[in-house]
Amino acid sequence: MKKQLRELNKIISDNKSGSAQILLNLKKHILKNPDDEDYLRFVITEAENHLNHFASVKNFLMELKSELKKSDLKQLRLFLENSILAQTKETELLFEKNKKYLKKFKILTTLSYSKTLLEIFKLWYKENSSLEIFILESRPMFEGRIFAKELIKIGFNCNLVVDAMMNYAVQNSDAVIIGADQILKNGNVVNKVGSFPLALCANENRKPFIVIATKDKFINSTRFTDSKRPEYEVWNYKHAKIQITNFYFEEIPAKYISKTIS
């Protein structure tokens, strides 16, 4: 049980991976323990308490709870296996459906870390190995560095830049592409902090600002709220005259989004 709890805690406290990666890790963790209904309900409660701000996780947990009510354990295992397979296949279908549009871009800018984009870029590399990618480092957790490491493993030439250099990156790119943590009912997109100014840079430079996300990122709401994150992640310094504000996510108005691929 201790090993299970350590693994679960690692998943729910992950503040560097994208929502698709966290969801996949959660599904695989549950698949290891499908015969213990009490533990399953504990996992659901913990995931709801820590990960419900991710639309894809929230939607999956709703499906899982519904499945628990109507299925035996054998069927539950099949549900989880199919869910993992479907998540993997969806990005392949997204790329195949949109590759004619995407392949016209030779240099891109993105930020943070997105499992969905990583899978899209893997497929894209097979079509164009000379594609170049600017990546914003994505403070305060520097997920952009993690993304850059994953992309150079594939073979991409990457240019990592500090967040404040986003306009330089956009000026030297053909398009800006980001993932999404939520897509609201009004078409607005929620993603890593830095996405909104990146959209403004794209619009100012007349470059396409493209969002790529799977269907499970859509929510039936027009409201987004985020909670403050630990101050020490930005600067581990205390002073009565300094207030440190740390948010992970922000909302990008639909009017700045050129295309949503989903």
Side-chain angles (χ1 to χ4, degrees), residues 189-208:
V189 167
V190 175
N191 199 50
K192 178 67 192 284
V193 162
S195 297
F196 190 4
L198 190 55
L200 294 177
C201 284
N203 278 257
E204 179 66 23
N205 288 286
R206 294 183 172 83
K207 303 293 176 73

Side-chain angles (χ1 to χ4, degrees), residues 225-237:
T225 55
D226 193 14
S227 56
K228 287 185 179 181
R229 309 297 170 143
E231 296 178 4
Y232 68 81
E233 292 177 348
V234 176
W235 192 14
N236 192 16
Y237 180 75

Side-chain angles (χ1 to χ4, degrees), residues 2-175:
K2 286 183 179 180
K3 184 179 178 181
Q4 290 175 319
L5 292 175
R6 282 198 302 270
E7 185 177 281
L8 176 61
N9 186 61
K10 185 177 179 180
I11 294 168
I12 64 177
S13 62
D14 186 349
N15 57 2
K16 293 183 179 181
S17 300
S19 57
Q21 182 65 63
I22 291 171
L23 175 61
L24 188 61
N25 292 342
L26 182 65
K27 288 177 180 178
K28 289 179 177 179
H29 177 75
I30 294 172
L31 187 56
K32 291 179 183 177
N33 309 278
D35 301 329
D36 188 340
E37 190 168 332
D38 289 337
Y39 182 69
L40 273 178
R41 296 195 182 281
F42 172 76
V43 170
I44 290 170
T45 300
E46 288 296 291
E48 286 177 332
N49 288 339
H50 294 88
L51 302 174
N52 244 22
H53 54 283
F54 292 127
S56 55
V57 175
K58 186 175 182 178
N59 289 331
F60 166 70
L61 291 175
M62 290 173 61
E63 291 179 12
L64 180 59
K65 286 192 289 186
S66 175
E67 196 68 27
L68 272 172
K69 290 178 181 177
K70 64 183 181 182
S71 299
D72 58 29
L73 296 177
K74 185 177 180 181
Q75 288 175 307
L76 182 62
R77 183 183 290 275
L78 184 61
F79 162 78
L80 291 165
E81 290 172 347
N82 288 338
S83 183
I84 291 169
L85 180 62
Q87 184 176 341
T88 304
K89 290 290 184 183
E90 191 171 3
T91 51
E92 294 177 14
L93 293 172
L94 274 180
F95 182 73
E96 285 302 315
K97 185 179 177 181
N98 296 280
K99 70 178 180 180
K100 185 177 180 180
Y101 169 73
L102 293 172
K103 281 170 63 178
K104 65 183 181 181
F105 304 122
K106 308 301 180 186
I107 306 175
L108 306 174
T109 291
T110 189
L111 84 168
S112 192
Y113 174 90
S114 165
K115 173 69 172 175
T116 300
L117 286 190
L118 180 62
E119 296 305 317
I120 292 288
F121 286 148
K122 283 180 182 177
L123 297 167
W124 201 333
Y125 185 79
K126 294 176 183 178
E127 302 281 342
N128 178 15
S129 61
S130 64
L131 182 71
E132 297 179 32
I133 306 174
F134 282 92
I135 307 169
L136 306 187
E137 64 177 1
S138 306
R139 278 183 55 84
M141 302 311 295
F142 301 105
E143 304 99 306
R145 297 179 184 181
I146 299 170
F147 202 22
K149 287 180 179 179
E150 291 297 319
L151 291 173
I152 61 175
K153 286 178 187 175
I154 298 169
F156 282 108
N157 290 315
C158 298
N159 191 333
L160 184 73
V161 297
V162 299
D163 296 348
M165 284 181 62
M166 65 174 66
N167 195 59
Y168 167 81
V170 173
Q171 285 178 336
N172 289 280
S173 298
D174 302 318

Side-chain angles (χ1 to χ4, degrees), residues 177-190:
I177 296 182
I178 67 167
D181 288 290
Q182 295 179 17
I183 300 179
L184 306 181
K185 195 175 180 180
N186 57 10
N188 291 0
V189 167
V190 175

